[in-house]
Amino acid sequence: MKLLQQTIEKIEGLDQEMVVKARARVDSLIKPPKSLGKLEGLAIQLAGITGKLYPEIDQKAVIVMAGDHGVYEEGVTSNPQEVTFAQTLNFAKGLTGVCVIGKVTGAKIVAVDVGIKGEIPSDAGVIIKKIKNGTDNMAKGPAMTREEAIKSIEVGIEIAHEEINKGVNLLGTGEMGICNTTPSTAILSVLKNCDPLEITGRGAGLGTGGIEHKAAVIRKAIEINKPDCKDGIDVLAKIGGLEIGGMAGVMLAAAANRIPVVIDGYISTISALIAARIEPKAKEYFITSHASLEPGGKIASELLGIEPMLHMDMCLGEGSGAALAFPIIEAACSMMKNMPTFEDVGMEI
């Protein structure tokens, strides 16, 4: 809890003086007003985050948190749980979706075992920060203890700090965990105060009971555990996931270190909601990448209050959407640094 508390205490709002300067520069660039749309707002946000009129984004990393879920035993997915283990090894080999997309901008992919069922080999290229072998079955009791939930957040903080200390100045969040749309939807149901059936989707593959069964399992988990919607850690502990906590930690650490952090799709957005519930100011450092095809994705983004940049009908997870958004963020930086103002080129407006 000490690391989490120290991180929260370091989080401040954006540099408002730099925001004003950045807005003035954007408005004076050689283009019609607002003609570069969301790129302009992104450039201003980056200036406010970094405190620099010309933000530099030259070292990028997507931190992929991996963990399993006890609720798997309720038959909410058709995919074997062993896929979490196998796919996590593939991150280290550079074979997954986020890996090949990340290559476009030279992004580093950092795979972390925060709670996989089974033992990842120590030489596999995966960072081992295992808290437990998957969460407990939330349909029968809390997914984890409050202490374990805090520890999962602190794992994310630790890994983010390690990457920032290596020079990383743009972070992305990703995850791997078979059936993790189930705890994600449970969290959203609690925070939105809606029935699970309204927001439950297929995930990577439905179990034989279909949407109705998956929603019923989520409803049961909420009724049994009674998470406090005002306490993000309580919600995470009772109906969440270790990788969800890990990503929230990455986001909080990014905010504490004035580093922009790119949120991936549905599950990452749920982590962002948890992080923002823990410390609302952290949200100012979030950049949402894409609108997930999951039914709860749009609602989660609306609840977070940040509109995603991309609409690509993606729902892979892994941080794939975050990696896809990296070039847009670099373009915003290039606009600020390399595009002249009307005054620079001697034009009157």
Side-chain angles (χ1 to χ4, degrees), residues 47-261:
I49 288 172
T50 62
K52 298 177 181 178
L53 189 59
Y54 307 111
E56 296 180 5
I57 301 296
D58 56 7
Q59 293 194 52
K60 304 163 286 290
V62 179
I63 299 176
V64 184
M65 293 288 173
D68 278 306
H69 298 268
V71 74
Y72 176 86
E73 66 187 40
E74 299 296 323
V76 292
T77 180
S78 60
N79 291 301
Q81 193 167 43
E82 292 77 16
V83 170
T84 304
F85 186 102
Q87 193 73 336
T88 300
L89 295 177
N90 286 330
F91 290 119
K93 298 174 183 176
L95 301 177
T96 71
V98 66
C99 294
V100 298
I101 295 171
K103 286 179 181 178
V104 173
T105 57
K108 179 181 180 183
I109 310 302
V110 182
V112 184
D113 172 8
V114 69
I116 295 174
K117 189 175 182 179
E119 299 303 318
I120 295 284
S122 59
D123 61 351
V126 176
I127 298 173
I128 310 298
K129 292 283 187 178
K130 191 191 301 290
I131 294 168
K132 60 193 299 185
N133 284 289
T135 57
D136 300 326
N137 185 349
M138 68 179 190
K140 295 179 179 178
M144 48 187 146
T145 66
R146 187 177 183 90
E147 291 71 25
E148 288 167 342
I150 291 170
K151 193 170 181 181
S152 74
I153 296 169
E154 292 187 332
V155 165
I157 294 171
E158 290 170 3
I159 299 300
H161 281 166
E162 289 175 8
E163 293 306 313
I164 292 168
N165 289 337
K166 294 173 185 175
V168 168
N169 46 28
L170 178 62
L171 286 168
T173 57
E175 42 62 43
M176 181 64 221
I178 290 300
C179 87
N180 61 9
T181 57
T182 299
S184 296
T185 302
I187 291 171
L188 181 59
S189 179
V190 168
L191 298 183
K192 180 67 176 174
N193 190 26
C194 66
D195 186 78
L197 190 57
E198 298 175 25
I199 54 175
T200 300
R202 293 184 53 83
L206 276 173
T208 55
I211 295 286
E212 290 77 11
H213 173 66
K214 185 175 178 179
V217 169
I218 293 169
R219 194 180 298 113
K220 179 182 177 183
I222 295 170
E223 290 172 353
I224 288 174
N225 292 296
K226 296 178 173 57
D228 179 0
C229 67
K230 297 178 181 179
D231 183 346
I233 296 174
D234 187 65
V235 175
L236 174 66
K238 289 179 176 175
I239 55 171
L242 293 159
E243 80 278 36
I244 294 171
M247 288 190 293
V250 171
M251 296 169 199
L252 292 170
N257 287 276
R258 307 196 73 86
I259 298 289
V261 58

Side-chain angles (χ1 to χ4, degrees), residues 115 124 155 255 264 269 302 309 327 341:
V155 165
D264 188 34
T269 304
E302 289 173 351
M309 288 189 289
T341 65

